[in-house]
Amino acid sequence: ETGVTQTPRHLVMGMTNKKSLKCEQHLGHNAMYWYKQSAKKPLELMFVYNFKEQTENNSVPSRFSPECPNSSHLFLHLHTLQPEDSALYLCASSQTSGGDYNEQFFGPGTRLTVL
Amino acid sequence: AQKITQTQPGMFVQEKEAVTLDCTYDTSDPSYGLFWYKQPSSGEMIFLIYQGSYDQQNATEGRYSLNFQKARKSANLVISASQLGDSAMYFCAMREVGAGSYQLTFGKGTKLSVIP
């Protein structure tokens, strides 16, 4: 595997279900990100992890719970979601070695539908 | 106020022609980076080109170039010799370095359709 991978690619869940999204990066980066992309809205940053430590949480509801066990893996645990949480969830990774560059590499996303 | 504004929800271009996708930004941070990403229907965001706020020259990457006008706070993407495979959503994004954040702020995107 190369780059950033995400599983599953598609997920349909009920509002009472508990599920998890998985992201893995094979690029040796130290930062990982979760984004939410809803229809007709800009990408919204949800969480940032740098060296396994959460550095940003953009007022995300507690029904979304991230986990970063190491610099290569990132999870998003979902429980009691709402239909408006249906969206494309994108994972990204980057280096954070300073400077203004730090291009983010994205995974293919998980298309989530909440019924 | 929006930090990244893309005023063209959709654009059409004839194959082999050039097209410009507009992006304006708003920041008081003197150090920032501007990025363009392409998102095909498959969903993956693909990095295209980067421009730093202190870069003296406009960035170029193959058929992509960035028309950076700092005083006007614009960073338009120019795609030369359009190909059918260029049909996708295009997003402009900014990172404000002085804020110490690694966050990228994205615009709403422009949907480009290349016509044969």
Side-chain angles (χ1 to χ4, degrees):
Chain A
E1 294 278 12
T2 58
V4 181
T5 57
Q6 289 186 245
T7 55
R9 294 293 310 275
H10 300 272
L11 178 63
V12 179
M13 60 187 289
M15 289 190 284
T16 58
N17 291 158
K18 289 185 178 181
K19 297 286 185 183
S20 296
L21 309 185
K22 179 183 176 182
C23 175
E24 184 173 359
Q25 60 99 356
H26 310 267
L27 300 167
H29 291 159
N30 48 271
M32 297 187 76
Y33 312 76
W34 278 117
Y35 287 88
K36 176 184 178 182
Q37 186 177 28
S38 305
K40 303 189 192 253
K41 291 176 72 174
L43 265 78
E44 302 170 74
L45 179 69
M46 300 174 73
F47 303 103
V48 181
Y49 278 82
N50 190 18
F51 290 105
K52 303 188 299 178
E53 299 297 321
Q54 187 180 123
T55 56
E56 294 186 46
N57 175 342
N58 280 4
S59 304
V60 180
S62 59
R63 57 186 184 269
F64 295 92
S65 174
E67 178 190 0
C68 189
N70 55 60
S71 293
S72 299
H73 294 85
L74 184 65
F75 295 89
L76 188 63
H77 303 300
L78 317 171
H79 63 98
T80 60
L81 293 191
Q82 304 298 311
E84 59 265 29
D85 297 323
S86 299
L88 180 68
Y89 288 84
L90 289 161
C91 174
S93 71
S94 75
Q95 289 289 13
T96 52
S97 51
D100 55 357
Y101 185 49
N102 299 133
E103 166 200 347
Q104 292 184 17
F105 291 80
F106 285 80
T110 294
R111 176 72 63 186
L112 174 67
T113 303
V114 182
L115 302 176
Chain B
Q2 289 187 41
K3 290 200 171 186
I4 296 288
T5 302
Q6 294 180 254
T7 57
Q8 307 152 314
M11 289 279 287
F12 290 89
V13 63
Q14 203 75 40
E15 194 177 6
K16 299 181 184 177
E17 298 290 312
V19 63
T20 298
L21 306 183
D22 295 341
C23 173
T24 56
Y25 59 92
D26 182 28
T27 181
S28 57
D29 191 334
S31 181
Y32 53 90
L34 297 159
F35 302 76
W36 276 93
Y37 284 85
K38 170 185 178 183
Q39 187 179 39
S41 56
S42 59
E44 184 173 354
M45 299 282 282
I46 302 167
F47 167 74
L48 296 178
I49 195 167
Y50 165 83
Q51 180 84 43
S53 57
Y54 294 117
D55 293 344
Q56 295 295 314
Q57 295 192 331
N58 287 344
T60 60
E61 287 287 347
R63 294 188 298 112
Y64 304 108
S65 60
L66 203 152
N67 184 1
F68 181 46
Q69 298 188 46
K70 194 170 182 177
R72 302 174 79 173
K73 293 189 174 179
S74 75
N76 299 337
L77 177 70
V78 181
I79 305 174
S80 63
S82 297
Q83 302 172 356
L84 295 178
D86 294 334
S87 294
M89 286 291 293
Y90 288 81
F91 293 92
C92 180
M94 176 175 65
R95 175 173 174 239
E96 295 168 286
V97 180
S101 166
Y102 301 108
Q103 176 173 343
L104 284 181
T105 302
F106 285 81
K108 291 186 177 182
T110 295
K111 183 175 182 179
L112 177 67
S113 299
V114 180
I115 305 166

